């Protein structure tokens, strides 16, 4: 590229550092990103920044993606390129921003981690040896029995539980909407045991309370689950959301009713629930590999 084009990059980076007071780390990232774009220009014999079109930027992004760069890193590179072209436009050096409408490839969605049924049983069937452990098992049973979010469980009040009708009302779901959820037999049994020994504190409505009689917070619940897993020898690093994921996956495997699982999880959009169909397919694929006569590996 022409020396003038290289100087424009230097001027842009100087402005970031001096006028906009961007961190040194960000400046170095932008410098590296624009160097990669410069190499692209050299390889295709572009002499100045104004010669690049949106198609060229898209081609550059595609090449970077094929080289192994993640979607997240590509998004950052595009952000650097857009900012650079805005700088050039304000200086009257180019007429448009070719990166303005170029998007990075979507990042592959990670499948949620789940426990299998045996692991859940090992976690929940171990039994409690104290009042606090009884409370903890009741919490963990509800996570798995009703597919609750952490914030939903910590927000539960005594009035939200209906033991007789085997259901609970969640009033703190995303969007502030309430939903009615069933409770499993084992969850109800341990809840009844917890309610018998739950400390009676005036004006405390929380279903799950601390030793001081106050509502148990999210962080405390996370720590109690972690400690419980260590004590019971569960190898996985289990968190509350993993129990919710396990609830959804096991229910979908057994029922194949995606709409019902969506309602129980409180998902606004069924596309959010559809990620569990990928987990279910993994399970079906394993069954197929083990059972189908043309899929079994030869010994």
């Amino acid at each position: 590229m022409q020396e003038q084009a290289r100087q424009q990059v230097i001027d842009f980076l100087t402005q970031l550092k001096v006028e906009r007071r961007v961190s040194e780390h960000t400046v170095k990232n932008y410098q590296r990103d624009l160097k990669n774009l410069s190499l692209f220009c050299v390889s295709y014999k572009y002499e100045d920044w104004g010669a690049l079109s949106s198609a060229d930027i898209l081609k550059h992004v595609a090449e970077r993606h094929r080289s192994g760069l993640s979607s997240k890193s590509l998004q950052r590179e595009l952000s650097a390129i857009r900012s650079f072209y805005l700088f050039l436009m304000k200086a009257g050096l180019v007429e448009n921003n070719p990166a303005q409408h170029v998007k990075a490839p979507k990042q592959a969605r990670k499948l949620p981690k789940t426990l299998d049924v045996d692991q859940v049983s090992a976690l929940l069937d171990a039994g409690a040896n104290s009042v606090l452990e009884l409370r903890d098992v009741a919490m963990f049973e509800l996570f798995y029995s009703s597919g609750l979010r952490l914030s939903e469980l910590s927000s539960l009040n005594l009035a939200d539980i209906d033991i007789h009708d085997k259901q609970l009302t969640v009033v703190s779901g995303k969007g502030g909407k309430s939903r009615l959820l069933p409770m499993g037999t084992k969850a109800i049994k341990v809840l009844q045991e917890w309610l018998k020994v739950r400390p009676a504190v005036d004006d405390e409505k929380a279903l799950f309370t601390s030793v001081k009689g106050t509502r148990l917070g999210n962080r405390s619940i996370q720590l109690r689950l972690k400690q419980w897993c260590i004590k019971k020898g569960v190898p996985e690093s289990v968190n509350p959301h993993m129990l919710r994921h396990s609830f959804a996956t096991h229910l979908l495997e057994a029922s194949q009713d995606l709409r019902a699982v969506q309602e129980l999880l409180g998902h606004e959009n069924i596309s959010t629930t559809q990620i569990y169909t990928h987990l279910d397919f993994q399970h079906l694929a394993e069954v197929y590999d083990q059972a189908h006569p043309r899929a079994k590996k030869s010994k």
Side-chain angles (χ1 to χ4, degrees), residues 191-206:
L191 262 177
Q192 287 175 317
E193 293 175 3
W194 159 244
L195 290 174
K196 290 176 184 177
V197 297
R198 175 187 175 275
V201 180
D202 292 340
D203 299 326
E204 182 51 71
K205 301 177 181 178

Side-chain angles (χ1 to χ4, degrees), residues 112-125 135-150 152-153 179 221-229 234 236-252 261 264-265 276 279:
K113 292 183 178 180
T114 64
L115 300 173
D116 60 35
V117 175
D118 290 337
Q119 288 174 317
V120 172
S121 296
L123 187 69
L124 301 180
D125 292 343
R135 176 204 63 192
D136 293 346
V137 174
M139 292 192 301
F140 308 152
E141 279 283 3
L142 269 188
F143 272 130
Y144 180 66
S145 174
S146 303
L148 298 179
R149 299 180 178 96
L150 174 59
E152 292 172 344
L153 184 128
R179 67 187 193 278
I221 295 171
Q222 290 173 319
L223 289 174
R224 293 296 295 183
L225 178 56
K226 183 178 181 179
Q227 292 167 1
W228 181 258
C229 291
V234 177
E236 288 282 349
S237 179
V238 182
N239 57 62
H241 220 57
M242 195 181 292
L243 290 175
R244 174 174 159 87
H245 290 321
S246 301
F247 157 84
T249 303
H250 299 165
L251 196 61
L252 187 60
V261 175
L264 291 169
L265 290 174
Y276 295 104
L279 291 169

Side-chain angles (χ1 to χ4, degrees), residues 92-140:
L93 299 172
V94 297
E95 294 182 358
N96 55 64
N97 189 338
Q100 184 175 356
H101 300 296
V102 177
K103 295 181 179 180
K106 288 186 177 180
Q107 192 167 358
R109 191 172 185 181
K110 292 182 179 179
L111 295 179
K113 292 183 178 180
T114 64
L115 300 173
D116 60 35
V117 175
D118 290 337
Q119 288 174 317
V120 172
S121 296
L123 187 69
L124 301 180
D125 292 343
N129 298 317
S130 67
V131 172
L132 288 183
E133 286 190 357
L134 185 60
R135 176 204 63 192
D136 293 346
V137 174
M139 292 192 301
F140 308 152

Side-chain angles (χ1 to χ4, degrees), residues 12 26 28-40 57-65 67-85 97 99-100 102-105:
F12 169 65
T26 300
K28 286 182 178 179
N29 282 338
Y30 274 36
Q31 184 177 21
R32 183 174 61 250
D33 296 338
L34 293 175
K35 182 180 180 180
N36 288 325
L37 184 61
S38 298
L39 293 173
F40 172 84
I57 300 297
L58 187 60
K59 186 175 183 179
H60 170 62
V61 169
E63 289 182 359
R64 296 286 289 151
H65 187 53
S67 70
L69 203 66
S70 69
S71 297
K72 188 175 182 180
S73 296
L74 284 171
Q75 288 169 4
R76 192 205 64 236
E77 283 205 7
L78 278 170
S79 178
I81 295 169
R82 290 189 197 102
S83 296
F84 176 54
Y85 269 94
N97 189 338
Q100 184 175 356
V102 177
K103 295 181 179 180

